[in-house]
Amino acid sequence: MKEQYREIIRYLVVGLLTTIVSLVTYYTCVLFFLNPQSALELQMANICSWIVAVTFAYVTNRVFVFQSKRKDWLQEAMVFYSSRIITLFIDMIIMFLMVTLCGFNDKVAKLMVQVVVTVANYIFSKLFVFRVSKKDKI
């Protein structure tokens, strides 16, 4: 099997695990201490979910998916988190539109949003975060 396909399969596995981490964190927040009917608390649950999931995703993507050997891991992590902030805003906007404005069930909406976010995250990771530069190959 080509390495490109292996990478995509690893990404999908890690993405699934990251989605589970994100959803468990989100559901825990809204089940125990935040009210998703409040627009502010809905976004707070989203942000908590994002922080936990992105931290998990950075480590697993660096080690297992893209197998990064870059020594400047702090800069790499900053680019990773920055790219994820973009998809956080996408997530928040879609959740606001679907739940707050259109009245969709927040848990179903969160599942649907995860598909969009996962695809966008792979593109950002591949193009901007874990790209191999000429100096990294040496």
Side-chain angles (χ1 to χ4, degrees):
M1 185 183 299
K2 290 185 176 182
E3 179 57 30
Q4 175 188 357
Y5 297 122
R6 285 189 193 120
E7 180 182 280
I8 291 171
I9 291 168
R10 288 190 306 260
Y11 183 80
L12 290 173
V13 170
V14 166
L16 176 65
L17 295 173
T18 301
T19 299
I20 291 168
V21 167
S22 176
L23 292 173
V24 166
T25 304
Y26 174 81
Y27 294 159
T28 300
C29 288
V30 299
L31 285 173
F32 294 109
F33 57 91
L34 293 171
N35 178 5
Q37 300 309 311
S38 160
L40 178 62
E41 291 185 36
L42 172 74
Q43 298 306 334
M44 288 172 55
N46 239 1
I47 291 169
C48 289
S49 168
W50 181 85
I51 291 169
V52 173
V54 170
T55 301
F56 175 84
Y58 173 69
V59 172
T60 54
N61 276 286
R62 177 179 168 80
V63 173
F64 298 112
V65 177
F66 298 103
Q67 300 170 347
S68 176
K69 306 286 188 233
R70 288 177 53 181
K71 292 179 181 24
D72 59 344
W73 65 268
L74 187 57
Q75 180 183 2
E76 181 183 74
M78 288 173 40
V79 173
F80 186 86
Y81 276 84
S82 296
S83 71
R84 292 309 200 259
I85 287 173
I86 295 168
T87 57
L88 170 64
F89 286 126
I90 292 169
D91 184 326
M92 291 173 71
I93 290 166
I94 296 171
M95 287 293 287
F96 177 77
L97 293 171
M98 292 179 76
V99 177
T100 305
L101 295 183
C102 296
F104 281 57
N105 177 284
D106 66 297
K107 290 157 192 69
V108 173
K110 187 69 175 167
L111 282 170
M112 293 167 48
V113 167
Q114 288 305 301
V115 174
V116 174
V117 168
T118 299
V119 171
N121 284 337
Y122 179 78
I123 293 167
F124 287 138
S125 290
K126 187 72 177 167
L127 295 179
F128 303 113
V129 181
F130 297 109
R131 71 178 187 271
V132 179
S133 68
K134 291 180 184 178
K135 73 176 184 173
D136 293 329
K137 290 182 181 181
I138 299 173

CSV table of all heavy atoms in Angstrom, one decimal, residues 20-46:
chain,number,residue,atom,x,y,z
A,20,ILE,N,-14.0,11.4,19.1
A,20,ILE,CA,-14.5,10.8,20.3
A,20,ILE,C,-14.1,11.6,21.5
A,20,ILE,O,-15.0,11.9,22.4
A,20,ILE,CB,-14.1,9.3,20.4
A,20,ILE,CG1,-14.7,8.5,19.4
A,20,ILE,CG2,-14.3,8.8,21.8
A,20,ILE,CD1,-14.2,7.1,19.2
A,21,VAL,N,-12.8,12.0,21.6
A,21,VAL,CA,-12.4,12.9,22.7
A,21,VAL,C,-13.2,14.2,22.7
A,21,VAL,O,-13.7,14.6,23.8
A,21,VAL,CB,-10.9,13.2,22.6
A,21,VAL,CG1,-10.4,14.3,23.5
A,21,VAL,CG2,-10.1,11.9,22.8
A,22,SER,N,-13.4,14.8,21.5
A,22,SER,CA,-14.1,16.0,21.4
A,22,SER,C,-15.6,15.9,21.9
A,22,SER,O,-16.1,16.6,22.7
A,22,SER,CB,-14.1,16.5,20.0
A,22,SER,OG,-14.8,17.7,19.8
A,23,LEU,N,-16.2,14.8,21.4
A,23,LEU,CA,-17.6,14.6,21.7
A,23,LEU,C,-17.8,14.3,23.2
A,23,LEU,O,-18.7,14.8,23.8
A,23,LEU,CB,-18.2,13.5,20.8
A,23,LEU,CG,-18.3,13.9,19.3
A,23,LEU,CD1,-18.8,12.6,18.5
A,23,LEU,CD2,-19.3,15.0,19.1
A,24,VAL,N,-17.0,13.4,23.7
A,24,VAL,CA,-17.1,13.0,25.1
A,24,VAL,C,-16.9,14.3,26.0
A,24,VAL,O,-17.6,14.5,27.0
A,24,VAL,CB,-16.1,11.9,25.5
A,24,VAL,CG1,-15.9,11.8,27.0
A,24,VAL,CG2,-16.5,10.6,24.9
A,25,THR,N,-15.9,15.1,25.6
A,25,THR,CA,-15.7,16.4,26.4
A,25,THR,C,-16.9,17.3,26.3
A,25,THR,O,-17.4,17.8,27.3
A,25,THR,CB,-14.4,17.1,25.9
A,25,THR,OG1,-13.3,16.2,26.0
A,25,THR,CG2,-14.2,18.3,26.7
A,26,TYR,N,-17.4,17.5,25.0
A,26,TYR,CA,-18.6,18.3,24.8
A,26,TYR,C,-19.8,17.8,25.6
A,26,TYR,O,-20.5,18.5,26.3
A,26,TYR,CB,-18.9,18.4,23.3
A,26,TYR,CG,-20.2,19.2,23.1
A,26,TYR,CD1,-20.2,20.6,23.0
A,26,TYR,CD2,-21.4,18.5,22.8
A,26,TYR,CE1,-21.3,21.3,22.8
A,26,TYR,CE2,-22.5,19.2,22.6
A,26,TYR,CZ,-22.5,20.6,22.6
A,26,TYR,OH,-23.7,21.3,22.4
A,27,TYR,N,-20.1,16.5,25.4
A,27,TYR,CA,-21.3,15.9,26.1
A,27,TYR,C,-21.2,16.0,27.6
A,27,TYR,O,-22.1,16.2,28.3
A,27,TYR,CB,-21.5,14.5,25.6
A,27,TYR,CG,-21.9,14.3,24.1
A,27,TYR,CD1,-21.7,13.1,23.5
A,27,TYR,CD2,-22.4,15.4,23.4
A,27,TYR,CE1,-22.0,13.0,22.1
A,27,TYR,CE2,-22.8,15.2,22.1
A,27,TYR,CZ,-22.6,14.1,21.5
A,27,TYR,OH,-22.9,13.9,20.1
A,28,THR,N,-20.0,15.8,28.1
A,28,THR,CA,-19.8,15.9,29.6
A,28,THR,C,-20.1,17.3,30.0
A,28,THR,O,-20.8,17.5,31.0
A,28,THR,CB,-18.3,15.5,29.9
A,28,THR,OG1,-18.1,14.2,29.5
A,28,THR,CG2,-18.1,15.6,31.4
A,29,CYS,N,-19.6,18.3,29.3
A,29,CYS,CA,-19.9,19.7,29.6
A,29,CYS,C,-21.4,20.0,29.7
A,29,CYS,O,-21.9,20.6,30.6
A,29,CYS,CB,-19.2,20.6,28.6
A,29,CYS,SG,-17.4,20.7,28.8
A,30,VAL,N,-22.1,19.6,28.6
A,30,VAL,CA,-23.5,19.9,28.5
A,30,VAL,C,-24.4,19.1,29.4
A,30,VAL,O,-25.5,19.5,29.8
A,30,VAL,CB,-24.0,20.0,27.1
A,30,VAL,CG1,-23.3,21.0,26.2
A,30,VAL,CG2,-24.0,18.6,26.4
A,31,LEU,N,-23.9,17.9,29.8
A,31,LEU,CA,-24.7,17.0,30.6
A,31,LEU,C,-24.6,17.4,32.1
A,31,LEU,O,-25.5,17.3,32.9
A,31,LEU,CB,-24.3,15.6,30.5
A,31,LEU,CG,-24.8,14.9,29.2
A,31,LEU,CD1,-24.2,13.5,29.0
A,31,LEU,CD2,-26.4,14.8,29.2
A,32,PHE,N,-23.4,17.9,32.5
A,32,PHE,CA,-23.1,18.1,33.9
A,32,PHE,C,-23.1,19.6,34.4
A,32,PHE,O,-23.4,19.9,35.5
A,32,PHE,CB,-21.9,17.4,34.3
A,32,PHE,CG,-22.0,15.9,34.2
A,32,PHE,CD1,-21.3,15.2,33.3
A,32,PHE,CD2,-22.8,15.2,35.1
A,32,PHE,CE1,-21.4,13.8,33.2
A,32,PHE,CE2,-22.9,13.8,35.0
A,32,PHE,CZ,-22.3,13.2,34.1
A,33,PHE,N,-22.6,20.5,33.5
A,33,PHE,CA,-22.5,21.9,34.0
A,33,PHE,C,-22.7,23.0,33.1
A,33,PHE,O,-22.7,24.2,33.5
A,33,PHE,CB,-21.1,22.1,34.8
A,33,PHE,CG,-19.9,21.8,33.9
A,33,PHE,CD1,-19.3,22.8,33.2
A,33,PHE,CD2,-19.4,20.5,33.9
A,33,PHE,CE1,-18.2,22.5,32.5
A,33,PHE,CE2,-18.3,20.2,33.1
A,33,PHE,CZ,-17.6,21.3,32.4
A,34,LEU,N,-23.0,22.8,31.8
A,34,LEU,CA,-23.3,23.9,30.9
A,34,LEU,C,-24.6,23.6,30.1
A,34,LEU,O,-24.9,22.4,29.8
A,34,LEU,CB,-22.2,24.0,29.9
A,34,LEU,CG,-20.8,24.5,30.4
A,34,LEU,CD1,-19.7,24.5,29.4
A,34,LEU,CD2,-20.9,25.9,31.0
A,35,ASN,N,-25.4,24.6,29.9
A,35,ASN,CA,-26.7,24.5,29.3
A,35,ASN,C,-26.6,24.8,27.8
A,35,ASN,O,-26.3,26.0,27.5
A,35,ASN,CB,-27.7,25.4,30.0
A,35,ASN,CG,-29.1,25.4,29.3
A,35,ASN,OD1,-29.3,24.6,28.4
A,35,ASN,ND2,-29.9,26.2,29.8
A,36,PRO,N,-26.7,23.9,26.9
A,36,PRO,CA,-26.6,24.2,25.5
A,36,PRO,C,-27.7,25.1,24.9
A,36,PRO,O,-27.6,25.6,23.8
A,36,PRO,CB,-26.6,22.8,24.8
A,36,PRO,CG,-27.4,21.9,25.8
A,36,PRO,CD,-27.1,22.5,27.1
A,37,GLN,N,-28.8,25.3,25.7
A,37,GLN,CA,-29.8,26.2,25.2
A,37,GLN,C,-29.4,27.7,25.4
A,37,GLN,O,-30.0,28.6,24.8
A,37,GLN,CB,-31.1,26.0,26.0
A,37,GLN,CG,-31.6,24.5,25.9
A,37,GLN,CD,-31.8,24.1,24.4
A,37,GLN,OE1,-32.3,24.8,23.6
A,37,GLN,NE2,-31.2,22.9,24.1
A,38,SER,N,-28.4,27.9,26.2
A,38,SER,CA,-27.8,29.2,26.3
A,38,SER,C,-26.7,29.3,25.2
A,38,SER,O,-25.8,28.5,25.2
A,38,SER,CB,-27.2,29.4,27.7
A,38,SER,OG,-26.2,30.5,27.7
A,39,ALA,N,-26.8,30.4,24.4
A,39,ALA,CA,-25.8,30.5,23.3
A,39,ALA,C,-24.4,30.6,23.9
A,39,ALA,O,-23.4,30.0,23.3
A,39,ALA,CB,-26.1,31.8,22.5
A,40,LEU,N,-24.2,31.3,25.0
A,40,LEU,CA,-22.9,31.5,25.6
A,40,LEU,C,-22.4,30.2,26.1
A,40,LEU,O,-21.2,29.8,25.9
A,40,LEU,CB,-22.9,32.6,26.7
A,40,LEU,CG,-21.6,32.8,27.4
A,40,LEU,CD1,-20.5,33.3,26.5
A,40,LEU,CD2,-21.8,33.8,28.6
A,41,GLU,N,-23.2,29.4,26.8
A,41,GLU,CA,-22.8,28.2,27.4
A,41,GLU,C,-22.5,27.1,26.4
A,41,GLU,O,-21.7,26.3,26.5
A,41,GLU,CB,-23.8,27.7,28.5
A,41,GLU,CG,-23.7,28.6,29.7
A,41,GLU,CD,-24.6,28.1,30.8
A,41,GLU,OE1,-24.7,26.9,31.0
A,41,GLU,OE2,-25.2,28.9,31.6
A,42,LEU,N,-23.3,27.2,25.3
A,42,LEU,CA,-23.1,26.3,24.1
A,42,LEU,C,-21.6,26.5,23.6
A,42,LEU,O,-20.9,25.5,23.4
A,42,LEU,CB,-24.1,26.5,23.0
A,42,LEU,CG,-23.8,25.8,21.7
A,42,LEU,CD1,-24.2,24.3,21.8
A,42,LEU,CD2,-24.6,26.5,20.6
A,43,GLN,N,-21.3,27.7,23.4
A,43,GLN,CA,-19.9,28.0,22.9
A,43,GLN,C,-18.8,27.7,23.9
A,43,GLN,O,-17.7,27.3,23.6
A,43,GLN,CB,-19.8,29.5,22.4
A,43,GLN,CG,-20.8,29.8,21.3
A,43,GLN,CD,-20.6,28.9,20.1
A,43,GLN,OE1,-19.6,28.3,19.8
A,43,GLN,NE2,-21.7,28.8,19.3
A,44,MET,N,-19.1,27.9,25.2
A,44,MET,CA,-18.2,27.5,26.2
A,44,MET,C,-17.9,26.0,26.2
A,44,MET,O,-16.7,25.5,26.3
A,44,MET,CB,-18.6,27.9,27.6
A,44,MET,CG,-18.6,29.4,27.9
A,44,MET,SD,-19.4,30.0,29.4
A,44,MET,CE,-18.5,29.0,30.6
A,45,ALA,N,-18.9,25.2,26.0
A,45,ALA,CA,-18.8,23.7,25.9
A,45,ALA,C,-18.0,23.4,24.6
A,45,ALA,O,-17.1,22.5,24.6
A,45,ALA,CB,-20.1,23.0,25.8
A,46,ASN,N,-18.2,24.1,23.6
A,46,ASN,CA,-17.5,23.9,22.3
A,46,ASN,C,-16.0,24.2,22.5
A,46,ASN,O,-15.1,23.5,22.0
A,46,ASN,CB,-18.0,24.9,21.2
A,46,ASN,CG,-18.5,24.2,20.0
A,46,ASN,OD1,-18.5,22.9,20.0
A,46,ASN,ND2,-19.0,24.9,19.1
